[in-house]
Amino acid sequence: MKKTIFYHDTDCGNVVYYANYLKYFEEARTLYMEEKGFSVPALLQRGLGFVVARQEVEYKYPVHYADVIDVSTKVLEISDIKIVFENIITNQNGRLCTKGKTTLVCVDKTGMPTPMGADVKTAMM
């Protein structure tokens, strides 16, 4: 996913505010799932949701206003109820800026862990 950094993404030092990286990871994961054939609204209609159970972020190099970043997404691990995604953010020069690992747990309408279904699990691999 390509993204241009706007002024509202940055802090007073003209650097992307650290929490905004979580939004970029979320956007990239959502697009990844859609590319695999599963939209969030469609999954919710099936009674399935995904919640963040764990988040790790490594900040390697700053991203600034007007930079163009690439956010790549891949699945590191998957089970019946859990998906571990890795996100890598590089700048327009290909320099590694940020790495993240997000663990999502599949939950039902009551928020309890539930199997995501073989079709979802297979598509995400």
Side-chain angles (χ1 to χ4, degrees):
M1 171 188 93
K2 296 274 188 206
K3 181 171 186 64
T4 300
I5 302 302
F6 292 97
Y7 184 73
H8 66 261
D9 292 310
T10 63
D11 60 17
C12 62
N14 200 31
V15 173
V16 170
Y17 181 67
Y18 76 97
N20 284 336
Y21 291 97
L22 300 180
K23 293 192 302 186
Y24 307 155
F25 295 164
E26 177 77 24
E27 291 169 11
R29 280 196 314 273
T30 299
L31 292 173
Y32 179 92
M33 293 178 82
E34 288 176 356
E35 289 170 3
K36 300 294 184 175
F38 295 95
S39 70
V40 171
L43 288 169
L44 290 173
Q45 285 180 346
R46 286 177 55 173
L48 301 175
F50 285 92
V51 297
V52 175
R54 181 177 174 83
Q55 180 67 62
E56 298 175 33
V57 184
E58 293 180 55
Y59 303 99
K60 300 290 194 178
Y61 188 78
V63 175
H64 299 93
Y65 171 67
D67 281 353
V68 177
I69 60 171
D70 183 61
V71 186
S72 66
T73 303
K74 72 177 182 180
V75 172
L76 294 178
E77 180 185 335
I78 193 164
S79 71
D80 290 341
I81 63 166
K82 175 177 81 171
I83 305 175
V84 179
F85 285 97
E86 178 183 64
N87 289 107
I88 304 286
I89 296 179
T90 55
N91 66 13
Q92 62 269 16
N93 299 319
R95 185 163 189 173
L96 173 64
C97 298
T98 311
K99 290 175 67 173
K101 192 183 333 182
T102 309
T103 301
L104 299 180
V105 172
C106 187
V107 296
D108 63 19
K109 290 179 182 179
T110 67
M112 296 302 295
T114 190
M116 66 185 76
D119 59 331
V120 178
K121 182 178 175 183
T122 299
M124 293 300 144
M125 297 188 339

